[in-house]
Amino acid sequence: MPDEQHPAARPESSGEGRADGKRDRSARGKERQGKERTSKASRPTDSRPVDSQPTDSRPTAQRLKTLARPLGGVLAGVVLVAAGGGLVAATALAPRTPGSSPLTAPQAAVPAGNLVAVCPAPARLLQATPVGTDPQFSPESATAKSTVSALVLGNGSGVLPSSRLAGLTGGPLVELAKAPAAPATASPAPAPATTPPAPRAAVAQRGIDAVSILSADAFGDQQPSAAAAMSYAADDGDLRGTAAAACQSPANDLWLVGADTSLGRTAVLNLSNASGTPATVNLDLFGAKGVIQAPGSRGLLVAPGTTRSIVLAGLAPGQDSLAVRVRSTGGPVAAVIQQSVLRGLTPGGVDFITPGTGPATRQAVTGLDIQDPAALGPLTAKSGFEDAGPALQIAVPGAADAVVEVKMYGRDGQKPLPGGGVVTAKAGSVTTVPLAGVPAGHYTVSASSDVSFTAAARVTRGLKAEDPTDVAWAPSAIRLGSQHLVPVPAAGSRFLMFGAPDGRATISYTPVTADGKIRSATTADIAGGTTASVQIPANVEGSAVVGYLVSAAGEAAYGAVLLERDGKADVATVPVTPGAAGQEKVAVTLGY
């Protein structure tokens, strides 16, 4: 009905009507207030106006609901902003208490792990001409002899970790030390010893005919200290000579420099997987003229407990300077190149090329024995004997050329190289730097550049073209620290060699004898820019010397074992491997 319209919908045609409406609403309001006061006194919960008239409120409710949505969002945003500002202000203005300092990430101790070192198989001669990259080997010569020399050092209490020498497939060869017995819980505490227990070692020298594994278990939270080296010697056959290699811990990224696949040279890459996980290996090849794209160098599967041999001439034939980068996914691998030389019917030597340090702007190589340059010159001038002299090979993996400065340090200091020793090594290639021209003696080579590179040095023995010669490759070496365990093969003339290219270094070397005793230490003070060598005696106090414990302090120093045989043109060099790492800790960061 018309008199039931909502007030907002009623037409107001004149000012008088509006005034009357105001007086009428004012009167009704006063009346309503009076009734509400009366109603409140008698009904405490009912707050509705008693004279309210029924109206049609649907249009208004819909509009209010529509307006409430954006208004509610705005109000909520204002409340949130205000609350956030309050929190920021409260945080900024609140006084900092002693316990409110920033928290640093906690350090978590990494459990000590077991040691695994893979020793290469003896040198073997390829049978006829291989097809592709798959080798076929013939039996070794009648006089060839291969031995693994292994050392395991006890802890400060004289307790030896459980350790053994075994085949790659797990077959036992020799047990160096049994697992230490667990202490009885109810036994009384031992009386304090008047003197600390003498340190001791477990030693083994065992003949082998295949890849072998040295393993040592962690003892408590201590990393085991163990090392081994494999040596080979033959007096006859195409592989006549001496070769040696340190047994290496498997890794997923390795660099090997010094391979040669030219006429009369044979290079066989051996990949061993000592883990329980298959390894997929990719090979990157670098030659004298740049990167070599070789079909068949990708996706090489090495099953657990196996060795895969690859003839590098099948991937990169005719390369007189070849570097190989070995990268694996899945299981880590050990890699070694068996390199041999045959000039016509005359053996030119055999050696194991082992991984050196990764690319860096500074590399050092020690363990080099340089022959008399006056006698060596006529030999290297003959056709086919260009590689019968000493040289440094530099591999630059990056995209920029490297200007490399090469220095040689002998017993009396630095010796100048012909040409000044500064060369430009092309990016993605291998550059050979002759080291001939310096006086005969023991040397350390230092090379530096503003571009990362890796390197290895070649030394030779023998001065007559009609007689057998030998060759040895020394990879770039690690800087010496503390507690390096250095096994020493039993036969031949043996030298400990140390180089300190930059400044004075102090070297401590302690003999380890076949009876497991750690003998008295000797300290050598090496002047900066020199190389020192110590001939290893056959015995100390009636027991054969089988190794050394080496530590260094002061400026950077590098070490190696040089092996030669009296009356024969044989040479081999083995770099000092890293010592046992202390317990590691890593920062633990919590987040989401």
Side-chain angles (χ1 to χ4, degrees), residues 72-96:
V74 173
L75 291 176
V78 172
V79 171
L80 288 174
V81 172
L87 288 174
V88 173
T91 304
L93 296 177
R96 186 175 293 276

Side-chain angles (χ1 to χ4, degrees), residues 55-219:
T55 61
D56 186 6
S57 60
R58 284 175 293 178
T60 303
Q62 291 176 356
R63 277 195 298 272
L64 290 174
K65 186 175 181 180
T66 303
L67 292 171
R69 290 192 185 103
L71 182 60
V74 173
L75 291 176
V78 172
V79 171
L80 288 174
V81 172
L87 288 174
V88 173
T91 304
L93 296 177
R96 186 175 293 276
T97 62
S100 63
S101 59
L103 295 178
T104 57
Q107 297 283 325
V110 179
N114 299 336
L115 178 140
V116 174
V118 180
C119 307
R124 293 179 295 172
L125 187 66
L126 283 177
Q127 195 174 62
T129 302
V131 179
T133 61
D134 296 327
Q136 294 180 339
F137 294 101
S138 65
E140 54 205 41
S141 70
T143 60
K145 182 179 180 181
S146 300
T147 305
V148 167
S149 303
L151 297 177
V152 179
L153 189 66
N155 62 11
S157 302
V159 179
L160 290 166
S162 175
S163 50
R164 67 214 61 86
L165 193 64
L168 182 59
T169 57
L173 295 177
V174 61
E175 185 178 48
L176 279 83
K178 296 181 180 294
T185 56
S187 60
T194 55
T195 58
R200 63 193 185 103
V203 303
Q205 290 186 327
R206 171 68 182 262
I208 60 166
D209 58 4
V211 175
S212 57
I213 306 294
L214 171 66
S215 58
D217 299 340
F219 185 62

Side-chain angles (χ1 to χ4, degrees), residues 349-426:
V350 61
D351 199 27
F352 298 116
I353 298 174
T354 57
T357 56
T361 57
R362 178 75 180 272
Q363 302 287 1
V365 184
T366 191
L368 308 183
D369 187 5
I370 306 297
Q371 298 185 97
D372 181 17
L376 189 59
L379 178 66
T380 56
K382 295 180 180 293
S383 176
F385 287 84
E386 295 82 4
D387 57 350
L392 179 71
Q393 288 194 356
I394 300 168
V396 181
D401 295 348
V403 178
V404 184
E405 184 179 17
V406 181
K407 297 179 180 180
M408 293 192 69
Y409 300 98
R411 184 185 63 181
D412 301 326
Q414 182 179 351
K415 303 298 180 182
L417 280 169
V422 178
V423 296
T424 299
K426 295 295 183 181

Side-chain angles (χ1 to χ4, degrees), residues 99-480:
S100 63
S101 59
L103 295 178
T104 57
Q107 297 283 325
V110 179
N114 299 336
L115 178 140
V116 174
V118 180
C119 307
R124 293 179 295 172
L125 187 66
L126 283 177
Q127 195 174 62
T129 302
V131 179
T133 61
D134 296 327
Q136 294 180 339
F137 294 101
S138 65
E140 54 205 41
S141 70
T143 60
K145 182 179 180 181
S146 300
T147 305
V148 167
S149 303
L151 297 177
V152 179
L153 189 66
N155 62 11
S157 302
V159 179
L160 290 166
S162 175
S163 50
R164 67 214 61 86
L165 193 64
L168 182 59
T169 57
L173 295 177
V174 61
E175 185 178 48
L176 279 83
K178 296 181 180 294
T185 56
S187 60
T194 55
T195 58
R200 63 193 185 103
V203 303
Q205 290 186 327
R206 171 68 182 262
I208 60 166
D209 58 4
V211 175
S212 57
I213 306 294
L214 171 66
S215 58
D217 299 340
F219 185 62
D221 59 353
Q222 296 180 347
Q223 297 277 358
S225 180
M230 181 268 184
S231 60
Y232 163 91
D235 294 329
D236 65 334
D238 292 346
L239 297 182
R240 197 217 69 83
T242 294
C247 303
Q248 59 181 285
S249 297
N252 294 102
D253 194 355
L254 302 167
W255 285 85
L256 301 98
V257 180
D260 189 344
T261 62
S262 59
L263 182 63
R265 281 71 178 165
T266 303
V268 181
L269 172 64
N270 296 310
L271 304 172
S272 298
N273 182 0
S275 73
T277 304
T280 302
V281 177
N282 294 329
L283 304 180
D284 299 324
L285 306 173
F286 303 86
K289 296 182 179 180
V291 177
I292 300 171
Q293 303 296 337
S297 62
R298 294 287 188 269
L300 303 173
L301 181 63
V302 185
T306 65
T307 295
R308 181 164 182 173
S309 299
I310 301 161
V311 179
L312 292 178
L315 300 175
Q319 299 290 328
D320 58 2
S321 303
L322 183 64
V324 182
R325 183 184 186 185
V326 177
R327 292 182 293 172
S328 71
T329 57
V333 298
V336 63
I337 296 175
Q338 177 190 309
Q339 181 69 55
S340 59
V341 179
L342 186 64
R343 299 183 180 95
L345 298 177
T346 305
V350 61
D351 199 27
F352 298 116
I353 298 174
T354 57
T357 56
T361 57
R362 178 75 180 272
Q363 302 287 1
V365 184
T366 191
L368 308 183
D369 187 5
I370 306 297
Q371 298 185 97
D372 181 17
L376 189 59
L379 178 66
T380 56
K382 295 180 180 293
S383 176
F385 287 84
E386 295 82 4
D387 57 350
L392 179 71
Q393 288 194 356
I394 300 168
V396 181
D401 295 348
V403 178
V404 184
E405 184 179 17
V406 181
K407 297 179 180 180
M408 293 192 69
Y409 300 98
R411 184 185 63 181
D412 301 326
Q414 182 179 351
K415 303 298 180 182
L417 280 169
V422 178
V423 296
T424 299
K426 295 295 183 181
S429 64
V430 179
T431 301
T432 301
V433 182
L435 299 179
V438 298
H442 294 168
Y443 285 90
T444 298
V445 174
S446 174
S448 59
S449 175
D450 57 349
V451 175
S452 294
F453 65 97
T454 187
R458 179 184 68 219
V459 293
T460 58
R461 300 296 291 178
L463 298 173
K464 296 181 178 180
E466 62 275 13
D467 293 337
T469 59
D470 200 10
V471 62
W473 281 95
S476 51
I478 62 165
R479 176 176 177 172
L480 295 180

